[in-house]
Amino acid sequence: MAFSLTTRKEIIDHLQSETLDLLIIGGGITGAGVAIQASSTGIKSGLIEMQDFAEGTSSRSTKLVHGGIRYLKTFDVEVVSDTVKERAIVQRIAPHIPRPDPMLLPIYDEAGATFSLFSVKVAMDLYDRLANVTDPKYTNYTISKEEVLKREPHLKAENLLGGGVYLDYINNDSRLVIENIKKAQENGGLMASHVQALKLLHAEDGKINGVHAKDLLTDQEFDIHARLVINTAGPWSDLVRELDDQEKIIPQMRPTKGVHLVVDGTRLPVPQPTYFDSGDQDGRMIFVIPREDKTYFGTTDTDYQGDYAQPTVTKEDVDYLLAIVNKRYPMVNLKLADIEASWAGLRPLIASNGSSDYNGGNSGKIATKSFDQVIEVVNAYENAKATKEDVEKVLNDLEVTLSESKLSPSSVSRGSSLAVATDGLITLAGGKLTDYRKMAAGALALITKLLKDQEHETFNPIDSKNLPVSGGDIDPENVVATLEFFAKQGIDGGLSKAESMTIVNLYGSNAARVFSRIGELKAAPGLSLGETLGLHYALEEEMTLTPVDYLLRRTNHILFHRDTLDDVKVGVSNEMARYFNWSTAKKERMIKQLDTAIATSDLRDLKAEG
């Protein structure tokens, strides 16, 4: 289905001329989740995003659908249970995006360690039960110090006790957003990027009934009218609330910044995702993840008050991460010059959540008595001297001191908030990527109730747990074989297996639409046929408007293919200029924008400072 610059004008015309049931402000993962569910329900919905889709927080995560095993150190079973259940749902509705990739957790004998070898086994066993992990390929196990070092010989051997291995999932965050957005558009939703809300509009009775907006591509201002408006702007949520001149706004967001750095896989070779304590006794854990012949690591977690649109990687961020990684991998001796790419993102934390912990807001400690009770009953269960019910009773009776041990009445997932202002503005904020579907489902329940109570319109609920995103028409139990089946179409058309697999991994079942252009399109100058096919699909069906959109968010070329970027960017820029018929001046602006994005990712300024 066409979703491009050509259709964008029609979308904006409809936004101006129609009264919507629901207008969504914010096109990250939260807004995209609301959009796909609302449009599938038959609610006449629109979405506006002032940047590209996913340009903010939702393309700047650790790129995992993480199960949150660290919360089992305090036996916070509820948050882990919710997280792994949602992760399974996301894998089912977007099977071409999250992929299983077991995580190695090295265990060190050092002050402040999150786990011991004993407690990590207890935690992993509970984790597998909560996640219903039964496939022998993915069930957890522990390995000795010697086995850990055999896998990762560069790891620090001193005080290493062994390790645990458990199931986790890698993810492509920006692809998850765009696939939700595309499905919402296909279902009749009106999805528009580069449209900024300037002011909230009110009816005569004082209720919110739309926004005054600006098309940032044309500078045209216009009104969008809607029966309901929901704010899903992530870190910008308070700024959207401040557009309401009839409400006294008490800020609720506390954004924190997370940074990730990318190096070549030969400089930091790891065979699988690895997760360990920072070693600084600061409560943080660090990921080191191999991806596409590169290795990236992070993350930091610092309060942020700068430019939300352009959070930057500072020298302090780099020094912190390099010090930790070099301490854990003392033979690699990484330096600033080794960093090939980077990204910084903001986490949309709720201030009242009481913790900067970006994966749930739980900074509590488990009481010693309760900890002993858990260890005792789990041991008894393992030795067939206690029942599952005995374990559940102890877990349910834990004596804990947590900042948020129970969901607040306004939450639809841990660390989130769903609230309605007195003039009707709905705000869905906080949470984490793994919970996006659950948060959206909670919002949709409220939205359908409000439309019934206020507008006397009834919308039948949908089962969003079985609502595939665009490209997700794949058997979730047989992903690899299904993708290989789709790839055969590309191979039969003359593409290499590697190019065909790249396309199916990006576009899932939509790869068939990409391959259908073989024979019609020729390779653009400077690009292979596979690259040309993917680019044209992104231009015609993914609202790709700039080279940065394509090279950073529709693909991850800027992040994980720095070796070929300097050549590919020329071919992409030239083909987009030809396709859109850009003037010389506009082409130069687009190339300058791309070069700036690459320089930011490269940390060029920091490297110049030495």
Side-chain angles (χ1 to χ4, degrees), residues 15-36:
L15 287 173
Q16 292 182 71
S17 61
E18 300 177 14
T19 297
L20 306 173
D21 295 320
L22 176 69
L23 176 64
I24 303 159
I25 303 174
I29 191 61
T30 305
V34 173
I36 188 175

Side-chain angles (χ1 to χ4, degrees), residues 56-103:
T57 292
S58 297
S59 60
R60 301 165 185 256
S61 73
T62 305
K63 305 186 188 302
L64 298 171
V65 185
H66 186 42
I69 193 171
R70 65 179 143 168
Y71 295 103
L72 291 178
K73 71 182 178 182
T74 53
F75 293 92
D76 191 354
V77 175
E78 184 180 2
V79 70
V80 177
S81 178
D82 287 349
T83 299
V84 293
K85 287 173 183 173
E86 275 304 302
R87 184 180 67 185
I89 293 168
V90 173
Q91 196 276 329
R92 187 163 65 245
I93 62 179
H96 60 303
I97 301 178
R99 304 291 179 83
D101 203 355
M103 183 84 67

